[in-house]
Amino acid sequence: MKKMVSLLLVLLGTLSCSQDFIDRKPISTVSTDVLYKTDKDFEDAVIGIYQPFHAQYLNFWQIGDLTADDTEQQHSAALDLVNINNFIISSSLGVLNSSWLNYYQAIFRANTVLSNIDQANAATIPRKDRHIGEAKFLRALAYFDLVRIFGDVPMISAPISAPEAAKKGRDKVSTVYDELIIKDLLDAESKLPEKYAGADVGRATKGAAKALLGKVYLTRKDFAKAEAKLKEVTTMGYALLPNYNDLWDYTKNEHHSEYIFDIEYIDGGLGLGSTFSNIFAPNLSPIINFFGLKGAGGQNGSPTEALFTLYEPSDKRKAISIAHVKDGLIDRNGNLIPMTPIDATSYTKKYMAALVNPNDSKANWKVIRYADVLLMYAEALNENGKTTEALTVLNQVRARAGVPALTGLSQSEARDKIYLERRLEMYLEGHRWFDLVRTGRALAVMQSQGMKAHMTVFPIPLSQIQVINNPAIFPQNPGYD
């Protein structure tokens, strides 16, 4: 997939879209009858669906983490991030507009592939099922993120004309789940392979579709279906890496036994690297030099002081995941490198990959990994009254972290422990905010930081409200008018 991602550079010029919330048909002298003829044509078009996610997940942490309680913006010069952190949310916020455009660009491309491949002859398109499965998985992922961020959104499952787009209103979240997300994932899991080889490694797989579907069921509180689907994933050969640090060691292959689905980035000056290594680093030369970074540190997304106190003394994840600037660094000779904080007093170490060029990191964004599946499975088991089984699953994650097994807990006690384990295991991986919302705890936890009751969803970007300019069919979310 790292090789496959580099093909995006070629495709960007041919798969561009407009800036409206629903992409208009691009002006081109090339007929789609010519573009979609061979299996290779469809493979290239499917690769193009991945590209908007490549852009989108660079900033996904701003919504998935910065709005929650374990991450804060200590660097005050980044005003938009400070505002997000303090729930000063407006419809003109850049990350909301770019998120909307990125997801609908992916949806437009998926719809284009699906509409053209539907009548294609399987004899001449031997990987037809795989192309359909990938397109539907990616479309479902886009819509899953959209409804979690914005609530009701326009559900578009086929290319539409500009006049139709101008009249398309918002569909209910339940409709998007029932009529598109779940159906797409069920079809995707039936069509996708369990694994790939060579340059195809990193594409969406059957396991990724099942895991995402399990998360969808869990989000909708359909715990019986969540348990069944996530159990299927546990039988597919995935396994926790023995060493938690190996998840964040970028000298090693990121496609390992715990990998299920990443957004893939590639370094090397191609414009396809991630910015994570720079943006999460404090802007201090000892840290920049110690981790082999190039360029400046962005000092963004710092762990809160409260998070430091939640780890048990024996928890190996703490030293791997988060650090205080004031504690300094130990160099290769065992000497302490002391430091004085400038803006950021704490930082995450998860994304520190040595760089040749600034903002050109090989560090992927982990959308779904096996520890996430195990913790979701434990949660579903517990909600279904199977607390003893839930603790057995939970303890697999705890054992890897080096903390004692939990036994003899009530359902309520186990629920709290599972929630806590997700915080510690998956800090700054885009989950915490959505966990708070789906479990109904967001307002209670975040009210002291400025959250109001309506803020479980974000405002529709103003630019998209203006596209339709008709509140009768395309209203703003309540509280943001």
Side-chain angles (χ1 to χ4, degrees):
M1 181 73 169
K2 291 285 188 180
K3 293 179 181 177
M4 188 196 82
V5 169
S6 65
L7 292 175
L8 294 172
L9 287 173
V10 177
L11 292 167
L12 291 182
T14 61
L15 291 170
S16 61
C17 69
S18 76
Q19 294 300 298
D20 291 344
F21 82 93
I22 301 165
D23 296 288
R24 273 53 166 176
K25 187 175 181 180
I27 298 172
S28 174
T29 58
V30 182
S31 168
T32 56
D33 293 337
V34 175
L35 287 174
Y36 298 100
K37 283 292 188 183
T38 69
D39 195 79
K40 180 64 163 57
D41 292 337
F42 282 105
E43 180 182 33
D44 290 347
V46 169
I47 292 172
I49 306 172
Y50 285 89
Q51 184 271 332
F53 293 98
H54 184 269
Q56 172 59 22
Y57 277 84
L58 290 175
N59 296 316
F60 192 75
W61 68 276
Q62 295 181 26
I63 296 172
D65 296 290
L66 190 55
T67 47
D69 51 340
D70 293 334
T71 306
E72 64 185 2
Q73 186 58 31
Q74 298 172 357
H75 179 38
S76 60
L79 184 57
D80 270 6
L81 300 184
V82 172
N83 286 341
I84 293 170
N85 193 193
N86 292 300
F87 288 94
I88 304 172
I89 308 294
S90 75
S91 60
S92 60
L93 196 62
V95 69
L96 299 179
N97 190 57
S98 63
S99 295
W100 187 280
L101 294 175
N102 286 332
Y103 287 127
Y104 273 106
Q105 185 180 64
I107 290 163
F108 167 78
R109 294 179 180 183
N111 287 342
T112 302
V113 169
L114 292 169
S115 66
N116 281 280
I117 204 170
D118 185 52
Q119 302 301 320
N121 186 343
T124 58
I125 314 294
R127 293 177 293 179
K128 179 176 178 178
D129 273 359
R130 195 187 87 177
H131 300 323
I132 292 172
E134 281 188 273
K136 288 194 172 183
F137 171 84
L138 294 169
R139 185 170 69 176
L141 176 59
Y143 270 115
F144 183 49
D145 284 351
L146 278 169
V147 296
R148 292 190 299 164
I149 296 170
F150 297 110
D152 299 345
V153 295
M155 185 179 74
I156 304 159
S157 57
I160 62 175
S161 67
E164 290 172 322
K167 297 178 182 177
K168 184 71 178 83
R170 298 170 64 186
D171 293 283
K172 296 293 185 184
V173 169
S174 59
T175 301
V176 181
Y177 273 123
D178 291 335
E179 297 301 320
L180 192 143
I181 295 173
I182 292 173
K183 288 182 178 180
D184 271 5
L185 291 174
L186 287 169
D187 199 26
E189 71 169 330
S190 73
K191 289 181 167 62
L192 289 170
E194 289 195 14
K195 60 180 64 176
Y196 296 93
D200 286 332
V201 173
R203 290 178 178 272
T205 60
K206 186 182 298 291
K210 287 179 181 289
L212 184 58
L213 184 54
K215 179 168 283 191
V216 167
Y217 288 143
L218 194 69
T219 300
R220 301 196 78 195
K221 296 182 170 54
D222 191 339
F223 299 116
K225 287 185 178 179
E227 177 190 332
K229 189 56 61 179
L230 293 166
K231 182 178 181 180
E232 291 177 22
V233 183
T234 67
T235 67
M236 297 183 69
Y238 298 108
L240 296 177
L241 291 176
N243 185 353
Y244 184 75
N245 189 53
D246 287 347
L247 286 164
W248 316 104
D249 183 348
Y250 299 102
T251 66
K252 299 180 178 179
N253 191 345
E254 290 185 80
H255 302 121
H256 41 63
S257 64
E258 192 165 340
Y259 159 86
I260 296 180
F261 186 71
D262 285 1
I263 300 302
E264 307 274 330
Y265 297 95
I266 182 170
D267 59 356
L270 300 173
L272 294 169
S274 72
T275 58
F276 305 135
S277 299
N278 285 102
I279 64 173
F280 294 132
N283 195 25
L284 293 165
S285 57
I287 289 178
I288 298 295
N289 295 333
F290 182 86
F291 289 108
L293 306 181
K294 298 292 183 182
Q299 310 197 94
N300 298 323
S302 298
T304 61
E305 285 302 308
L307 180 65
F308 282 86
T309 68
L310 296 177
Y311 290 90
E312 295 176 54
S314 62
D315 198 324
K316 301 173 184 177
R317 295 170 298 195
K318 182 178 181 180
I320 294 165
S321 301
I322 58 178
H324 283 112
V325 173
K326 64 180 176 59
D327 291 338
L329 294 164
I330 304 296
D331 67 16
R332 291 181 178 85
N333 299 316
N335 300 314
L336 176 66
I337 305 172
M339 286 180 291
T340 301
I342 299 176
D343 274 323
T345 62
S346 60
Y347 62 101
T348 181
K349 297 164 68 177
K350 283 186 171 182
Y351 300 95
M352 298 301 181
L355 305 178
V356 175
N357 304 298
N359 295 306
D360 187 33
S361 175
K362 65 178 68 174
N364 288 347
W365 185 262
K366 295 169 175 59
V367 178
I368 309 171
R369 58 184 175 92
Y370 190 54
D372 184 12
V373 168
L374 289 176
L375 292 172
M376 290 191 293
Y377 183 38
E379 185 177 337
L381 284 166
N382 188 56
E383 296 301 330
N384 290 329
K386 302 174 184 178
T387 300
T388 301
E389 293 177 53
L391 292 177
T392 299
V393 175
L394 174 64
N395 286 332
Q396 293 182 48
V397 179
R398 290 178 61 82
R400 198 255 302 267
V403 292
L406 297 171
T407 59
L409 302 184
S410 67
Q411 183 186 48
S412 177
E413 290 169 334
R415 181 183 295 120
D416 290 341
K417 291 295 186 181
I418 293 166
Y419 290 165
L420 176 59
E421 205 66 33
R422 289 186 64 82
R423 297 176 70 176
L424 304 179
E425 175 70 24
M426 298 187 296
Y427 167 71
L428 201 59
E429 295 181 49
H431 299 285
R432 179 59 178 165
W433 168 253
F434 298 111
D435 283 349
L436 287 173
V437 172
R438 70 175 176 79
T439 57
R441 297 173 293 144
L443 184 61
V445 172
M446 302 308 304
Q447 191 168 17
S448 62
Q449 194 168 308
M451 181 184 175
K452 297 180 173 58
H454 67 275
M455 292 182 173
T456 52
V457 292
F458 293 86
I460 303 297
L462 177 61
S463 60
Q464 308 311 319
I465 293 290
Q466 292 172 335
V467 169
I468 303 296
N469 197 28
N470 185 346
I473 63 170
F474 203 84
Q476 180 58 275
N477 282 327
Y480 294 112
D481 293 328

